[in-house]
Amino acid sequence: MLVRFKKNLRLDNFDLFLMTLGAIIMSFTLVNIHIPSKITEGGVIGLAILAKSVFGLSPAIVSFIIDSSLYILGFFLLKKGFLSRSILASFTTAVFYALFLEMGPVLPSLEGHPALASLFGGIGIGLGCGLVITRGSAAGGDDSYALIMKKYTHLSIAQAYFLSDLVVLLISVFIYLPWPNFFWSILSTLVSSNLISLVETWVPKPSHLRYPEPASSGAK
């Protein structure tokens, strides 16, 4: 059954390993750096953290619901082959997110060092997201959203990502995020988006996978 499952998704063991590793790195970074330091992300991740701050909802569940909804919408509007793999990546990330939330932070808090939190948080998100993307998948529903916006509006993928990040971060400012943390969050987003591009360039990609169009900024 597992062999057939991997064959249907056109993934081998190495692809699954890197996808899982990316999900672990992102989830660990969010729980141990971003949430304790109040350094947030835009897009789906930012909405999940916002829902936790306002309603006390589990970010793991919220992010999985939003991601799945965007993937389903993308299936009907885009019909890209990477969507099935993206759902798997989203589910894997949600599982490890829930696990790390249950464990609680294991690293010293960087709340008093926002520059370090922004830097290391951006590195963790960028590295994890980049590993997932190199396997012909997407780390979140943001990618599906950006492709939809590009196809049906005049926005580029980069502009679509920036718009969603900016809106979520601005809402977060007026609800729970201090203004200084808003600027640190922007810095973290810039670090992660640039690292995603580097990982996409450096990590070999399997030729048999079909990829979403790479984003220049804001992808998670």
Side-chain angles (χ1 to χ4, degrees):
M1 178 179 285
L2 180 59
V3 174
R4 181 180 300 177
F5 174 74
K6 292 188 295 183
K7 184 177 180 181
N8 290 337
L9 292 180
R10 304 188 69 184
L11 297 172
D12 58 25
N13 291 333
F14 184 65
D15 297 326
L16 287 174
F17 169 75
L18 288 186
M19 183 182 294
T20 303
L21 179 62
I24 292 174
I25 293 173
M26 285 189 293
S27 302
F28 184 85
T29 300
L30 288 170
V31 173
N32 285 272
I33 299 179
H34 276 195
I35 294 178
S37 303
K38 297 183 175 62
I39 301 295
T40 187
E41 292 278 334
V44 174
I45 293 176
L47 283 175
I49 297 176
L50 181 62
K52 181 180 186 297
S53 299
V54 177
F55 303 109
L57 300 175
S58 169
I61 295 176
V62 172
S63 62
F64 180 69
I65 291 174
I66 298 175
D67 283 336
S68 298
S69 300
L70 288 171
Y71 292 149
I72 292 172
L73 185 62
F75 174 79
F76 289 106
L77 297 180
L78 300 173
K79 299 183 180 179
K80 292 289 184 179
F82 76 95
L83 287 178
S84 58
R85 293 187 293 271
S86 298
I87 292 175
L88 173 62
S90 177
F91 176 77
T92 305
T93 301
V95 168
F96 283 105
Y97 202 169
L99 176 62
F100 288 129
L101 283 172
E102 185 68 23
M103 293 172 55
V106 296
L107 298 181
S109 175
L110 293 177
E111 184 174 3
H113 306 279
L116 290 177
S118 300
L119 175 61
F120 290 123
I123 290 174
I125 296 297
L127 177 59
C129 182
L131 288 175
V132 173
I133 289 177
T134 62
R135 301 352 280 168
S137 182
D142 309 70
D143 297 286
S144 181
Y145 147 81
L147 288 168
I148 292 171
M149 294 296 288
K150 179 185 178 183
K151 183 174 181 179
Y152 293 98
T153 72
H154 297 293
L155 294 176
S156 66
I157 287 184
Q159 290 170 334
Y161 277 120
F162 179 76
L163 178 62
S164 66
D165 289 346
L166 182 62
V167 169
V168 172
L169 289 174
L170 284 175
I171 294 174
S172 301
V173 163
F174 291 105
I175 294 180
Y176 80 96
L177 188 68
W179 275 103
N181 294 71
F182 167 79
F183 295 106
W184 293 121
S185 297
I186 292 293
L187 174 60
S188 180
T189 300
L190 289 173
V191 172
S192 63
S193 61
N194 281 281
L195 184 55
I196 288 170
S197 297
L198 291 176
V199 173
E200 284 186 298
T201 301
W202 293 343
V203 177
K205 305 178 183 67
S207 59
H208 65 280
L209 290 179
R210 184 177 180 181
Y211 293 92
E213 183 176 341
S216 58
S217 65
K220 319 245 194 318

